[in-house]
Amino acid sequence: MKYYLGIDFGGTNIVAGVVDETYRIIAKHRNRTRREESFETIVADIAETAYAAVSDAGMTIRDMESVGLGAPGSISPQTNKLLYNNNLNWYNVPLPDEMASHFPVPVLIRNDADCAALGEALAGAANGYDHVLTLTLGTGVGGGIIVGKKIFSGCDRMGGEIGHTKLIFGGARCTCGQLGCLEAYASATALIRQTIEAMEEHPESLLSEQCGGDPAAVDAQTAFDAARRGDRTAQEVVDRFITYLAAGISSLVAVIRPQIVVIGGGISNEREYLLTPLNQKLKELTYSAAQAGVPPVVCAALGNDAGIVGAAMLGRTQI
Ligand SMILES: [Zn+2]
């Protein structure tokens, strides 16, 4: 049996796991990301978390084939530096070299959303498929494109930015500064904004009651919950949100033609309330649907473990 170390590193937590070649997590260790510390100290924390996971598994680092790290942002293959990480205020930091200095085995680093997509593609909801599109609906719209069981990230690894494909020309302002990105319409943040707008326009709707009349209490579940109670305004919010999402996915399907589409993030907890209308809408909107069919949309299965499994498997799939 071969073993791989995978690390999911974010602005809040560092989670490391020892993963075997059947994608099973043998041991897991978690530490808080000490954002106030220096770059070198945080990387040392990542290494410490990794060594603790290996020790929890009753192994040594030399038993690992490789160390994989999923990190926010992207590493330039030209400079071998992490271009930026807004959460940590890192700009052009030598993350690969600093990481490699802590380990006697190969270290691979990829974007965290790409790692999560790879994890779902290999061991989660898209297990068994070679070509997979993953969208994570959260603060933004993240995700990853897996082609032939490998991460596709384009030239300089700057591609695969699913959330910043254009949905509405000249539309709502996106966090990236552009107008009308998919992220500005189909993220959890966007759904919350759409729910608040509908609530203000229709104070009589159940949306107000659902959040105790407090717009600040609206979350990505509010509209779905009120719609389930039969509220028309809420149903319209949900329908419109799903149409935005389906339109965005249909464009991506036309370009990538994945075999399956995986939706992650909190909204995927709505399960059939999301999937049934989304799959239906996708049939209406996708190019050549009648002739070529439409890939099914499913919910992510691994939760937070997707990032660990995907990072671990970088050493197996990306080399
Ligand atoms: Zn954008």
Side-chain angles (χ1 to χ4, degrees), residues 163-164 174-176 178 181:
H164 304 287
C174 178
T175 52
C176 72
Q178 294 278 346
C181 295

Side-chain angles (χ1 to χ4, degrees), residues 272-296:
E272 72 268 28
Y273 290 100
L274 173 73
L275 292 182
T276 305
L278 181 57
N279 277 300
Q280 183 54 43
K281 207 75 200 163
L282 205 55
K283 282 194 186 114
E284 291 168 29
L285 298 176
T286 301
Y287 168 73
S288 200
Q291 292 77 27
V294 177

